[in-house]
Amino acid sequence: MKSKHLSSLKSAILGSSLLVAGVMALSAPAQAFTVTIDPQYGSTENTGSSAFLDFNFVQQNTNTVLNLLIKNTSSVTSTLVGVGFDTPGGISQSSYNSLGSAFVQLFNDVSLSPYGSFDIGIRSAGSGGFGGGNPQAGLTNGQSATVSFTFNNQNASSLESSFLSLFSQPGSVVGRFQQVGANREGSDKVLGQAETAAVPEPTTMAGLALAGAGLAAARRRKAAKEAAMKAS
């Protein structure tokens, strides 16, 4: 009888250990934060154009992939045609993928007056550089898209922390808007800033929920077995 009780206890402990390990594995990719591009941080025309950016860093072997979700949240008719941002000192992207979005052009060391230069700029198709020309395609009100950057030989957690620190003050992220206003003839350039609170990823939340349910089930099984042993 004693050996059966020890065996049940060991099984419960082993099950709990495996669940905890599962949580750790699921939680690993959760490296993300958000940036709000809004006139409160700086705008050339104060039209009400705005955007939301979600920076999600994922470790892939020795490299880090940045999946960047971009959404136009403007309160006025406006098309987001470009996004520019700085990178932590000495770090540059190794590759870029527009993932079928309108942001098919990649520029490095771009300039956008009056806000100076940015290390990376992505823009929709059309003539001219990041800050010039008259691009027409992009994200209209409420639309969103995702693009990705690969940074070779970078740790996702460390890279996320460096970017978050850099973006904690306005001036390192900018959005370029065209076709602004009722007549769609205006334009705007708007700065952004990072939200300081960490963003839990779905994998982390799912892992925690799974672990909680699993541990509760293990406790119920253990209690049922102990009750059966006492009854016998």
Side-chain angles (χ1 to χ4, degrees):
M1 189 67 70
K2 183 177 180 181
S3 61
K4 289 183 178 179
H5 176 71
L6 289 175
S7 177
S8 299
L9 181 60
K10 289 179 180 178
S11 297
I13 293 174
L14 177 59
S16 299
S17 298
L18 291 173
L19 285 167
V20 171
V23 172
M24 292 177 66
L26 287 169
S27 300
Q31 309 294 335
F33 62 84
T34 61
V35 168
T36 301
I37 293 176
D38 190 272
Q40 66 176 309
Y41 303 123
S43 172
T44 56
E45 306 299 333
N46 289 306
T47 61
S49 297
S50 63
F52 170 90
L53 310 178
D54 180 63
F55 285 75
N56 188 348
F57 299 82
V58 181
Q59 192 72 48
Q60 289 191 356
N61 298 318
T62 60
N63 304 329
T64 292
V65 174
L66 164 58
N67 294 312
L68 177 60
L69 170 68
I70 307 168
K71 182 175 183 178
N72 184 342
T73 58
S74 300
S75 60
V76 296
T77 299
S78 183
T79 301
L80 177 61
V81 299
V83 173
F85 58 91
D86 289 323
T87 60
I91 298 176
S92 60
Q93 89 286 345
S94 302
S95 63
Y96 170 69
N97 190 335
S98 65
L99 299 178
S101 72
F103 301 105
V104 294
Q105 297 191 82
L106 171 70
F107 302 90
N108 290 303
D109 298 321
V110 299
S111 180
L112 191 65
S113 178
Y115 297 128
S117 61
F118 298 86
D119 295 326
I120 293 176
I122 55 174
R123 206 202 77 174
S124 58
S127 61
F130 176 76
N134 187 30
Q136 298 297 308
L139 299 178
T140 58
N141 299 63
Q143 288 188 325
S144 62
T146 299
V147 301
S148 72
F149 301 83
T150 299
F151 296 87
N152 288 345
N153 302 313
Q154 295 292 330
N155 176 268
S157 179
S158 299
L159 194 60
E160 183 266 350
S161 296
S162 297
F163 268 99
L164 180 56
S165 177
L166 180 64
F167 295 165
S168 63
Q169 298 294 326
S172 293
V173 183
V174 69
R176 183 183 173 199
F177 299 85
Q178 293 281 101
Q179 305 171 51
V180 180
N183 59 9
R184 303 182 68 83
E185 295 180 356
S187 64
D188 206 350
K189 303 166 188 175
V190 187
L191 294 176
Q193 182 173 323
E195 302 291 337
T196 56
V199 179
E201 294 301 296
T203 51
T204 303
M205 301 305 294
L208 291 174
L210 175 63
L215 289 172
R219 292 192 188 100
R220 288 195 297 270
R221 287 194 299 269
K222 179 175 178 291
K225 289 179 180 178
E226 288 178 346
M229 290 169 59
K230 291 179 181 179
S232 62

